[in-house]
Amino acid sequence: MTDASLDELGPVDFVIVEFPAGKSNFTGEMAEELVRLVDAGTIRLIDMLILTKAEDGTIEAMELSDLEDLGPLERLEADLAELLAEEDVVNLAAAMDPGSVAGVLVYENLWAAPFAAAARRAGGQLIANGRIPMQAIIASIEADEELEKVGD
């Protein structure tokens, strides 16, 4: 990346999606949605791994280039930076349950890049960020609904 592109870089996030043993149902829908996000300019995919964690805790990491049939992800594979190192893989896999498979995405939030660049030009720096898991939001909404029912 050039200095100019680094000045305009948006926030970079990662996400790990775990599929417990016997619970995966890969139809290609996830790959199509990821390609749609890239094509829409919402994100730029920086790295992607598939992790498997055996029952004995051993970890195997596969880059997209290691897979035979990439489907719609094939055209994204050439642009990946392969940013994650072996130590990162070990740290990421620590969150996984034995016997599971996980997809790891590292991506730039292109939608936020102009705001992030303006904040940096103004002397600002990101000091914290976070993500609320969807399961926590659903649980909170359901708890509120239960309280409303009890209060009626």
Side-chain angles (χ1 to χ4, degrees):
M1 298 186 109
T2 66
D3 287 340
S5 65
L6 287 176
D7 287 342
E8 300 301 317
L9 187 67
V12 175
D13 286 331
F14 74 92
V15 64
I16 306 171
V17 179
E18 181 183 48
F19 302 90
K23 303 265 177 142
S24 62
N25 181 23
F26 300 113
T27 63
E29 181 182 10
M30 289 174 53
E32 291 167 5
E33 286 299 320
L34 183 59
V35 169
R36 188 185 61 74
L37 289 168
V38 170
D39 287 347
T42 305
I43 67 168
R44 179 173 64 94
L45 193 60
I46 296 173
D47 203 353
M48 182 174 178
L49 294 175
I50 307 299
L51 302 179
T52 58
K53 189 171 189 178
E55 292 294 338
D56 67 2
T58 57
I59 304 160
E60 181 181 356
M62 294 172 282
E63 297 280 350
L64 283 186
S65 59
D66 297 332
L67 304 175
E68 288 184 23
D69 182 17
L70 296 178
L73 297 177
E74 185 171 351
R75 66 186 180 80
L76 301 180
E77 189 272 328
D79 294 332
L80 296 181
E82 298 185 8
L83 182 72
L84 297 171
E86 186 175 340
E87 179 181 335
D88 298 320
V89 169
V90 171
N91 290 333
L92 294 169
M96 295 172 62
D97 288 331
S100 64
V101 175
V104 178
L105 301 176
V106 178
Y107 58 95
E108 176 187 3
N109 291 286
L110 292 175
W111 61 269
F115 174 77
R120 286 190 296 272
R121 287 190 296 272
Q125 60 184 353
L126 181 65
I127 60 169
N129 70 345
R131 188 140 303 186
I132 302 170
M134 186 53 64
Q135 295 88 336
I137 293 172
I138 292 168
S140 177
I141 291 169
E142 289 173 348
D144 286 346
E145 289 172 352
E146 282 300 314
L147 285 176
E148 286 178 14
K149 287 179 187 176
V150 172
D152 289 341

